Amino acid sequence: MEQETKICQNCKKDFTIGSDDFNFYEKIKVPAPNWCPECRLIKRLSWRNERSLFKRKCDLCGQDKILIFPQESPYKVYCYPCWWSEKWDAESHAKDYDFSKPFFEQLMELFLNVPRLGIILRWSA
Ligand SMILES: [Zn+2]
Ligand SMILES: [Zn+2]
């Protein structure tokens, strides 16, 4: 399919869908988007918390930190230095899929077990 210019159904601006994009949508069996790339990105990122900060203990070093997950959140949360350290092994959280149990039950176990990065810091010189 040729490239096509569409009007974003959200912001009403023009955007172009390339022929490669149409091939990809065909391959994964999804319809072409009605929203422009920027609106789709905003929608995808809208769930992210980057403004609310909580005092919470890091689940690896145990120190009080300022993180994006509150203490009562059910997730395992590591502070920035711990996350990037060699003190833990991400592969140790890998599990084989158990065909005798429901998929989402196993996914939830993973969500609760695999550590999350508590905050994204950017150090610049
Ligand atoms: Zn748009
Ligand atoms: Zn830590």
PDB file of all heavy atoms in Angstrom, residues 65-77:
ATOM      1  N   LYS A  65      14.352   6.091  50.760  1.00  0.00           N
ATOM      2  CA  LYS A  65      14.624   6.774  49.494  1.00  0.00           C
ATOM      3  C   LYS A  65      13.387   7.552  49.078  1.00  0.00           C
ATOM      4  O   LYS A  65      12.296   7.332  49.608  1.00  0.00           O
ATOM      5  CB  LYS A  65      14.959   5.754  48.389  1.00  0.00           C
ATOM      6  CG  LYS A  65      16.176   4.903  48.669  1.00  0.00           C
ATOM      7  CD  LYS A  65      17.450   5.668  48.410  1.00  0.00           C
ATOM      8  CE  LYS A  65      18.663   4.802  48.690  1.00  0.00           C
ATOM      9  NZ  LYS A  65      19.891   5.378  48.182  1.00  0.00           N
ATOM     10  N   ILE A  66      13.538   8.441  48.132  1.00  0.00           N
ATOM     11  CA  ILE A  66      12.404   9.131  47.523  1.00  0.00           C
ATOM     12  C   ILE A  66      12.162   8.434  46.185  1.00  0.00           C
ATOM     13  O   ILE A  66      13.000   8.495  45.287  1.00  0.00           O
ATOM     14  CB  ILE A  66      12.716  10.632  47.293  1.00  0.00           C
ATOM     15  CG1 ILE A  66      13.117  11.316  48.590  1.00  0.00           C
ATOM     16  CG2 ILE A  66      11.531  11.317  46.626  1.00  0.00           C
ATOM     17  CD1 ILE A  66      12.029  11.427  49.629  1.00  0.00           C
ATOM     18  N   LEU A  67      11.009   7.746  46.088  1.00  0.00           N
ATOM     19  CA  LEU A  67      10.731   6.920  44.914  1.00  0.00           C
ATOM     20  C   LEU A  67       9.317   7.174  44.398  1.00  0.00           C
ATOM     21  O   LEU A  67       8.502   7.810  45.066  1.00  0.00           O
ATOM     22  CB  LEU A  67      10.905   5.434  45.266  1.00  0.00           C
ATOM     23  CG  LEU A  67      12.287   5.038  45.834  1.00  0.00           C
ATOM     24  CD1 LEU A  67      12.268   3.606  46.340  1.00  0.00           C
ATOM     25  CD2 LEU A  67      13.377   5.233  44.805  1.00  0.00           C
ATOM     26  N   ILE A  68       9.019   6.672  43.224  1.00  0.00           N
ATOM     27  CA  ILE A  68       7.699   6.926  42.633  1.00  0.00           C
ATOM     28  C   ILE A  68       6.636   5.927  43.087  1.00  0.00           C
ATOM     29  O   ILE A  68       5.485   6.041  42.686  1.00  0.00           O
ATOM     30  CB  ILE A  68       7.759   6.975  41.080  1.00  0.00           C
ATOM     31  CG1 ILE A  68       8.233   5.650  40.503  1.00  0.00           C
ATOM     32  CG2 ILE A  68       8.629   8.130  40.606  1.00  0.00           C
ATOM     33  CD1 ILE A  68       8.105   5.561  38.988  1.00  0.00           C
ATOM     34  N   PHE A  69       7.019   4.953  43.908  1.00  0.00           N
ATOM     35  CA  PHE A  69       6.045   4.003  44.440  1.00  0.00           C
ATOM     36  C   PHE A  69       5.919   4.226  45.942  1.00  0.00           C
ATOM     37  O   PHE A  69       6.929   4.294  46.637  1.00  0.00           O
ATOM     38  CB  PHE A  69       6.481   2.555  44.198  1.00  0.00           C
ATOM     39  CG  PHE A  69       6.560   2.180  42.740  1.00  0.00           C
ATOM     40  CD1 PHE A  69       7.741   2.306  42.029  1.00  0.00           C
ATOM     41  CD2 PHE A  69       5.441   1.692  42.084  1.00  0.00           C
ATOM     42  CE1 PHE A  69       7.813   1.962  40.688  1.00  0.00           C
ATOM     43  CE2 PHE A  69       5.498   1.349  40.739  1.00  0.00           C
ATOM     44  CZ  PHE A  69       6.690   1.483  40.037  1.00  0.00           C
ATOM     45  N   PRO A  70       4.687   4.332  46.477  1.00  0.00           N
ATOM     46  CA  PRO A  70       4.545   4.492  47.928  1.00  0.00           C
ATOM     47  C   PRO A  70       4.911   3.192  48.653  1.00  0.00           C
ATOM     48  O   PRO A  70       4.940   2.118  48.043  1.00  0.00           O
ATOM     49  CB  PRO A  70       3.048   4.806  48.101  1.00  0.00           C
ATOM     50  CG  PRO A  70       2.382   4.269  46.884  1.00  0.00           C
ATOM     51  CD  PRO A  70       3.401   4.311  45.783  1.00  0.00           C
ATOM     52  N   GLN A  71       5.173   3.291  49.952  1.00  0.00           N
ATOM     53  CA  GLN A  71       5.588   2.120  50.733  1.00  0.00           C
ATOM     54  C   GLN A  71       4.548   0.997  50.643  1.00  0.00           C
ATOM     55  O   GLN A  71       4.888  -0.175  50.605  1.00  0.00           O
ATOM     56  CB  GLN A  71       5.821   2.523  52.201  1.00  0.00           C
ATOM     57  CG  GLN A  71       6.447   1.440  53.058  1.00  0.00           C
ATOM     58  CD  GLN A  71       7.872   1.079  52.633  1.00  0.00           C
ATOM     59  OE1 GLN A  71       8.722   1.932  52.520  1.00  0.00           O
ATOM     60  NE2 GLN A  71       8.107  -0.202  52.378  1.00  0.00           N
ATOM     61  N   GLU A  72       3.247   1.365  50.593  1.00  0.00           N
ATOM     62  CA  GLU A  72       2.201   0.336  50.587  1.00  0.00           C
ATOM     63  C   GLU A  72       1.985  -0.298  49.209  1.00  0.00           C
ATOM     64  O   GLU A  72       1.179  -1.210  49.072  1.00  0.00           O
ATOM     65  CB  GLU A  72       0.884   0.905  51.134  1.00  0.00           C
ATOM     66  CG  GLU A  72       0.317   2.085  50.391  1.00  0.00           C
ATOM     67  CD  GLU A  72       0.873   3.446  50.875  1.00  0.00           C
ATOM     68  OE1 GLU A  72       1.914   3.459  51.573  1.00  0.00           O
ATOM     69  OE2 GLU A  72       0.283   4.466  50.526  1.00  0.00           O
ATOM     70  N   SER A  73       2.705   0.154  48.200  1.00  0.00           N
ATOM     71  CA  SER A  73       2.558  -0.458  46.881  1.00  0.00           C
ATOM     72  C   SER A  73       3.032  -1.918  46.962  1.00  0.00           C
ATOM     73  O   SER A  73       3.991  -2.227  47.665  1.00  0.00           O
ATOM     74  CB  SER A  73       3.373   0.359  45.871  1.00  0.00           C
ATOM     75  OG  SER A  73       4.121  -0.474  45.055  1.00  0.00           O
ATOM     76  N   PRO A  74       2.366  -2.833  46.278  1.00  0.00           N
ATOM     77  CA  PRO A  74       2.690  -4.261  46.430  1.00  0.00           C
ATOM     78  C   PRO A  74       3.951  -4.684  45.684  1.00  0.00           C
ATOM     79  O   PRO A  74       4.372  -5.832  45.799  1.00  0.00           O
ATOM     80  CB  PRO A  74       1.462  -4.949  45.826  1.00  0.00           C
ATOM     81  CG  PRO A  74       0.963  -3.992  44.801  1.00  0.00           C
ATOM     82  CD  PRO A  74       1.254  -2.612  45.348  1.00  0.00           C
ATOM     83  N   TYR A  75       4.552  -3.764  44.937  1.00  0.00           N
ATOM     84  CA  TYR A  75       5.683  -4.151  44.093  1.00  0.00           C
ATOM     85  C   TYR A  75       7.003  -4.144  44.854  1.00  0.00           C
ATOM     86  O   TYR A  75       7.158  -3.497  45.869  1.00  0.00           O
ATOM     87  CB  TYR A  75       5.783  -3.202  42.891  1.00  0.00           C
ATOM     88  CG  TYR A  75       4.510  -3.108  42.128  1.00  0.00           C
ATOM     89  CD1 TYR A  75       3.841  -1.905  42.003  1.00  0.00           C
ATOM     90  CD2 TYR A  75       3.945  -4.249  41.553  1.00  0.00           C
ATOM     91  CE1 TYR A  75       2.645  -1.826  41.315  1.00  0.00           C
ATOM     92  CE2 TYR A  75       2.758  -4.171  40.861  1.00  0.00           C
ATOM     93  CZ  TYR A  75       2.100  -2.960  40.736  1.00  0.00           C
ATOM     94  OH  TYR A  75       0.929  -2.885  40.072  1.00  0.00           O
ATOM     95  N   LYS A  76       7.936  -4.877  44.321  1.00  0.00           N
ATOM     96  CA  LYS A  76       9.304  -4.882  44.829  1.00  0.00           C
ATOM     97  C   LYS A  76      10.019  -3.730  44.116  1.00  0.00           C
ATOM     98  O   LYS A  76      10.111  -3.726  42.886  1.00  0.00           O
ATOM     99  CB  LYS A  76       9.953  -6.223  44.468  1.00  0.00           C
ATOM    100  CG  LYS A  76      11.197  -6.534  45.241  1.00  0.00           C
ATOM    101  CD  LYS A  76      11.748  -7.892  44.821  1.00  0.00           C
ATOM    102  CE  LYS A  76      10.967  -9.051  45.395  1.00  0.00           C
ATOM    103  NZ  LYS A  76      11.508 -10.360  44.975  1.00  0.00           N
ATOM    104  N   VAL A  77      10.458  -2.741  44.887  1.00  0.00           N
ATOM    105  CA  VAL A  77      11.001  -1.525  44.275  1.00  0.00           C
ATOM    106  C   VAL A  77      12.447  -1.305  44.728  1.00  0.00           C
ATOM    107  O   VAL A  77      12.733  -1.341  45.924  1.00  0.00           O
ATOM    108  CB  VAL A  77      10.128  -0.304  44.667  1.00  0.00           C
ATOM    109  CG1 VAL A  77      10.680   0.963  44.057  1.00  0.00           C
ATOM    110  CG2 VAL A  77       8.681  -0.520  44.240  1.00  0.00           C
TER     111      VAL A  77
END
